[in-house]
């Protein structure tokens, strides 16, 4: 009798990503375009490069032409599709419009995933891509990262090329962890050197509302519990000081509107820069909630600015990250924001790695 031996071939990383997109995206609507033929054709050659055929997603229809995407492709990353961004005429830039309809939060379909890097956050949270590119002009990486329970990094303004003439937007990445974001930065940043493990405990300043924002009490409680856990674990040592900044809303709007020289905007930026310079001279890390609110419904947040705690760092230029801190009682993820000195992006990732190892792992 002749025996036939069957060889079972394990699907490649790209094939697995495409399978998950095909199975999950009709409900989540994270993608506006998917490129299966191009991705599978690119993968064999990409496997020989440093990223080894890592499947990633790009933000929006022009994402594949971005500086970061081109650097990732050159290093062996394989783009599998373009993710959703807000549709035309959207007043609140906190959701996306995918090929099949509005993008939904993978934890609660009746809630928005945040934006404008909406689809990128959902793609990573649902395992449809290992990482995804984003851009952050007011919180557009950090907010969806917080609301989808993934890691998000806004780089220092000007560190990487950005097409935004206002100077507010900087390149960013969404990943499952700080380690995933580190893979991104390693291959898009010239002269990158891996971060050394930071000495613990990390001196840090905690501020619930940065001196001006009203934060949902349950969101504040989740973040404070995460910070207390970090203190108890010896990861963080809180300094006996706060962070009192001026509300940046009007200054951000003036800069975005093409009036960076507006006297009121200049005064707010100068005051906040001085206060942040003093803070980072004393401590390497600032901790805050990412948003003052939890994910809202698809109709929008009303009069509340989800950007209240994020856009101040687009004005100041500091690198900032969002990592999962826990959940509110209604099942919505909450993000902890980590902010570091300008140009300390690599150190920020090292500190984020130490912090996230002490917090609950969030997976969808």
């Amino acid at each position: 009798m002749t025996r036939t031996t069957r060889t079972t071939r394990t699907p490649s990383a790209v094939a697995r990503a495409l399978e998950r997109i095909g199975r999950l995206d009709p409900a989540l609507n994270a993608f506006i375009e998917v490129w299966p033929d191009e991705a599978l054709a690119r993968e064999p050659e990409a496997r020989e490069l440093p990223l080894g055929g890592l499947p990633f997603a790009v933000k929006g229809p022009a994402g594949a032409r971005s500086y970061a995407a081109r650097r990732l492709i050159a290093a062996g990353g394989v783009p599998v599709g373009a993710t959703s961004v807000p549709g035309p005429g959207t007043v609140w830039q906190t959701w996306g419009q995918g090929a099949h309809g509005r993008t939904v939060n993978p934890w609660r379909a009746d809630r928005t995933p945040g934006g404008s890097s909406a689809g990128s956050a959902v793609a990573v949270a649902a395992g449809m891509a290992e990482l995804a590119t984003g851009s952050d002009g007011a919180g557009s990486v950090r907010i969806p990262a917080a609301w989808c329970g993934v890691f998000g990094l806004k780089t220092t303004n000007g560190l990487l090329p950005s097409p935004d003439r206002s100077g507010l937007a900087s390149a960013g990445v969404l990943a499952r962890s700080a380690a995933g974001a580190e893979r991104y930065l390693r291959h898009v940043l010239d002269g990158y050197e891996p971060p050394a493990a930071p000495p613990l405990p990390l001196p840090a300043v905690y501020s619930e509302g940065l001196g001006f924002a009203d934060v949902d009490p349950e969101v504040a409680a989740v973040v404070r519990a995460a910070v207390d856990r970090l203190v108890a674990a010896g990861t963080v040592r809180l300094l006996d000081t706060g962070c009192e900044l001026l509300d940046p809303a009007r200054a951000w709007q003036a800069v975005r509107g093409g009036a960076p020289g507006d006297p009121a905007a200049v005064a707010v930026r100068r005051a906040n820069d001085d206060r942040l310079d003093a803070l980072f001279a004393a401590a390497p890390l600032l901790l805050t909630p990412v948003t003052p609110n939890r994910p809202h419904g698809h109709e929008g947040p009303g009069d509340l600015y989800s950007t209240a705690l994020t856009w101040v760092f687009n004005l100041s230029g500091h690198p900032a990250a969002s990592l999962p801190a826990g959940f509110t009682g209604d099942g919505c993820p909450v993000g902890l924001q980590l902010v570091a000195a300008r140009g300390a992006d690599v150190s920020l990732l090292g500190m984020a790695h130490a912090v996230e190892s002490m917090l609950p792992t969030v997976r969808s």
Side-chain angles (χ1 to χ4, degrees):
M1 184 173 68
T2 302
R3 277 186 139 175
T4 302
T5 302
R6 278 189 186 175
T7 302
T8 302
R9 179 175 294 178
T10 303
S12 69
V14 170
R16 292 195 299 273
L18 291 170
E19 186 277 330
R20 286 185 69 85
I21 293 171
R23 177 161 48 87
L24 301 177
D25 199 51
L28 295 174
N29 299 320
F31 286 86
I32 53 175
E33 295 178 5
V34 182
W35 309 313
D37 295 339
E38 296 92 330
L40 292 170
R42 191 190 297 270
E43 186 178 26
E45 183 177 345
R47 285 183 187 148
E48 307 303 316
L49 298 171
L51 283 175
L54 178 85
F56 73 96
V58 300
K59 177 182 176 178
R65 299 192 299 273
S66 70
Y67 175 83
R70 288 185 280 112
R71 293 296 295 263
L72 292 173
I73 292 169
V78 177
V80 294
T83 58
S84 65
V85 292
T90 303
V91 177
W92 291 97
Q93 304 295 293
T94 49
W95 55 73
Q97 185 72 22
H100 306 284
R102 69 186 183 193
T103 309
V104 303
N105 192 300
W107 294 95
R108 283 194 52 162
D110 64 330
R111 306 291 176 93
T112 173
S116 63
S117 303
S120 287
V122 174
V124 171
M128 295 186 283
E130 292 290 327
L131 59 83
T133 64
S135 58
D136 190 314
S140 293
V141 164
R142 289 162 288 162
I143 293 169
W147 287 354
C148 292
V150 298
F151 186 92
L153 171 69
K154 173 198 107 57
T155 56
T156 297
N157 292 36
L159 182 72
L160 297 170
S162 170
D164 179 39
R165 294 182 179 179
S166 73
L168 293 171
S170 56
V173 63
L174 297 109
R176 301 284 275 184
S177 66
E182 192 269 339
R183 295 183 80 182
Y184 163 93
L185 201 61
R186 187 192 320 164
H187 294 289
V188 301
L189 181 62
D190 289 332
Y192 176 87
E193 293 187 10
L200 302 179
L202 295 164
V205 172
Y206 173 69
S207 178
E208 178 182 301
L210 294 176
F212 59 83
D214 293 324
V215 180
D216 177 321
E218 193 173 357
V219 170
V222 171
V223 174
R224 183 70 214 207
V227 172
D228 289 343
R229 180 170 179 167
L230 295 172
V231 172
T235 304
V236 162
R237 175 174 62 85
L238 292 183
L239 302 188
D240 188 20
T241 185
C243 181
E244 299 289 319
L245 302 180
L246 301 180
D247 190 340
R250 290 189 177 180
W252 186 94
Q253 290 162 353
V255 174
R256 175 59 78 190
D262 175 80
V266 170
V268 167
R269 296 183 80 176
R270 182 177 296 127
N272 283 347
D273 284 352
D274 289 346
R275 297 176 192 188
L276 288 168
D277 287 346
L279 185 154
F280 289 115
L285 191 61
L286 169 62
L287 304 173
T288 80
V290 175
T291 64
N293 53 335
R294 66 192 78 193
H296 53 74
H298 293 277
E299 72 284 353
D303 295 330
L304 186 65
Y305 280 93
S306 304
T307 55
L309 298 170
T310 52
W311 55 4
V312 63
F313 304 113
N314 296 92
L315 276 172
S316 68
H318 292 80
S322 171
L323 57 84
F327 291 84
T328 53
D330 56 356
C332 294
V334 174
L336 169 65
Q337 182 169 220
L338 281 64
V339 188
R342 297 180 193 89
D345 302 64
V346 175
S347 296
L348 176 59
L349 285 178
M351 291 187 285
H353 181 75
V355 166
E356 74 178 0
S357 67
M358 292 295 119
L359 295 178
T361 301
V362 177
R363 291 290 184 265
S364 60

